[in-house]
Amino acid sequence: MASSNGALMASLILLFALFTANLRITDAQIGVCYGMMGNNLPSAREVVSLYQANNIRRMRLYDPNQAALEALRNSGIELMLGVPNSDLQSLATNADNARNWVQRNVLNFYPSVNIKYVAVGNEVSPVGASSNFAPYVLPAIQNVYQAIRARGLHDQIKVSTAIDTTLIGTSYPPSQGSFRNDVRSYLDPIIGYLVYANAPLFANIYPYFSYSGNPRDISLNYALFTAPNVVVWDGSRGYQNLFDAMLDSVHAAIDNTRIGYVRVVVSESGWPSDGAFGTSYDNARIYLDNLIRHVGKGTPMRPGGIETYIFAMFDENQKSPELEKHFGLFYANKQKKYPFGFGGEREWQIGSADNVTLPLKSDI
């Protein structure tokens, strides 16, 4: 009897080990963007502690805030470090400026700060309000890359830029995804660099904005991951949520340039809890919880984990318009806005030893 109990206990321990290992794989896909446009936010050291306490293992930082970088030392948190758009011209037109930027903000902290990526510019487009930055994105990327390469760190720290989905011209069906003709001369050389440097493209993917802009054709269930069945068939691929469809249209757009394979990291995704059409506490809770559950599975076009950064850590009271103030996972007083978590506290909710995600109910 004792040996039977021992065998049972050993089996349970093995099952739990497999289960928690798979949880770690899933959890490791999720990061959270740390925005600072609020006058009531906690100190950087408190924020890093909050990431650790909530098992958030990746952070996106939009500029090289020195207090945040100091607080990240020896934290174990992987970092996507941003170059603000306002710095692009300086880094693009003077290689010494780029070397100094890398020395001051990367080399002075690495490896005690686990910098994984440098995001050179955010949502720059050659057409529209940010077009003045567009000529500087690729040369800034190249100068930052060369400064990192000179120190032999180009395999550890990947340099890229973050786009939004307004650069996509065709998104339906996802396999026919393509970039707009008027942005190809901007994007194609960037994609060529990413192929050369074996770096991912960062993409900000927001089903909320697609839904709120076209609620007649896009159902809320499809946007919130709660559709009970496949909504869109694309050949043999079935899409049950808008996030996958949007992300696969980016994958296809890259593939359809025929320049080469480039992985996509979702550098932002979120849902505001207030401030505009389609916003509510429940919609945001459902979207974010389901996103966290989903990213370990991949998309129909790219099965496997989707490295994804949730926007954002806090409600930021100095942003505008109003809905931009309500993307936070936490209130400024460090209280959680939503009940779900990122690791141990949700482990019996999200899977089993073979990492099967529980089916989502359509009536959540």
Side-chain angles (χ1 to χ4, degrees):
M1 187 73 171
S3 93
S4 171
N5 284 341
L8 177 62
M9 182 60 68
S11 297
L12 286 171
I13 290 170
L14 176 61
L15 185 66
F16 183 75
L18 288 169
F19 177 73
T20 52
N22 280 318
L23 276 171
R24 283 193 292 273
I25 292 167
T26 301
D27 293 340
Q29 304 295 339
I30 283 285
V32 178
C33 303
Y34 174 18
M36 300 184 182
M37 293 184 67
N39 60 12
N40 58 350
L41 298 180
S43 70
R45 198 159 296 283
E46 290 176 280
V47 173
V48 169
S49 295
L50 196 59
Y51 271 70
Q52 292 173 312
N54 286 276
N55 200 37
I56 304 170
R57 299 172 182 173
R58 294 182 176 179
M59 176 189 289
R60 181 179 180 187
L61 196 60
Y62 289 91
D63 64 78
N65 179 280
Q66 299 295 292
L69 289 169
E70 286 292 347
L72 282 164
R73 287 191 190 274
N74 304 311
S75 66
I77 295 170
E78 291 185 347
L79 180 65
M80 178 187 291
L81 176 62
V83 174
N85 293 349
S86 56
D87 288 351
L88 293 174
Q89 183 174 358
S90 169
L91 303 190
T93 56
N94 188 316
D96 284 339
N97 289 346
R99 280 190 288 270
N100 290 336
W101 192 98
V102 168
Q103 180 63 54
R104 185 168 63 252
N105 303 307
V106 177
L107 301 177
N108 284 358
F109 294 95
Y110 186 86
S112 67
V113 177
N114 188 6
I115 300 169
K116 184 177 185 182
Y117 302 122
V118 177
V120 180
N122 185 51
E123 296 188 348
V124 174
S125 171
V127 180
S130 61
S131 60
N132 57 309
F133 298 117
Y136 305 114
V137 173
L138 181 57
I141 288 173
Q142 291 169 326
N143 283 345
V144 170
Y145 169 80
Q146 290 299 339
I148 289 172
R149 183 184 176 91
R151 302 299 289 267
L153 295 173
H154 52 291
D155 289 332
Q156 288 75 42
I157 304 172
K158 297 297 183 178
V159 185
S160 186
T161 191
I163 66 166
D164 64 25
T165 52
T166 64
L167 303 190
I168 300 289
T170 300
S171 60
Y172 180 87
S175 63
Q176 298 303 305
S178 62
F179 294 116
R180 287 166 31 197
N181 288 333
D182 59 351
V183 304
R184 287 289 299 272
S185 62
Y186 164 73
L187 268 181
D188 282 15
I190 291 174
I191 293 169
Y193 154 80
L194 296 174
V195 172
Y196 159 76
N198 190 29
L201 179 66
F202 307 141
N204 299 341
I205 306 288
Y206 282 99
Y208 165 75
F209 289 111
S210 295
Y211 163 71
S212 63
N214 189 13
R216 183 174 64 85
D217 295 326
I218 297 173
S219 74
L220 184 60
N221 280 349
Y222 188 48
L224 293 179
F225 296 90
T226 56
N229 301 299
V230 169
V231 175
V232 171
W233 282 101
D234 183 4
S236 62
R237 299 186 185 110
Y239 288 86
Q240 204 165 338
N241 67 81
L242 181 57
F243 176 85
D244 281 353
M246 293 177 70
L247 181 51
D248 273 353
S249 73
V250 178
H251 289 137
I254 296 169
D255 293 347
N256 289 334
T257 66
R258 293 185 161 81
I259 296 169
Y261 173 83
V262 173
R263 184 170 68 91
V264 177
V265 169
V266 177
S267 42
E268 289 181 16
S269 191
W271 195 290
S273 59
D274 199 0
F277 173 81
T279 67
S280 72
Y281 175 87
D282 282 339
N283 285 351
R285 174 183 59 80
I286 291 166
Y287 178 79
L288 292 165
D289 191 18
N290 288 340
L291 177 67
I292 293 166
R293 294 169 185 257
H294 179 73
V295 296
K297 301 196 319 186
T299 69
M301 195 178 290
R302 297 279 196 276
I306 310 162
E307 186 176 345
T308 301
Y309 292 77
I310 292 174
F311 186 85
M313 192 65 174
F314 299 104
D315 284 349
E316 297 171 69
N317 65 6
Q318 293 179 313
K319 297 197 77 170
S320 64
E322 181 63 24
L323 86 166
E324 295 284 350
K325 296 178 169 70
H326 302 284
F327 274 92
L329 294 173
F330 292 81
Y331 297 110
N333 65 2
K334 301 191 290 185
Q335 295 302 304
K336 292 173 73 167
K337 191 192 290 188
Y338 307 108
F340 53 78
F342 299 87
E345 66 203 80
R346 55 180 286 121
E347 57 192 21
W348 294 110
Q349 302 171 35
I350 69 170
S352 63
D354 57 359
N355 207 26
V356 175
T357 301
L358 296 176
L360 302 178
K361 295 181 180 177
S362 62
D363 57 349
I364 290 179

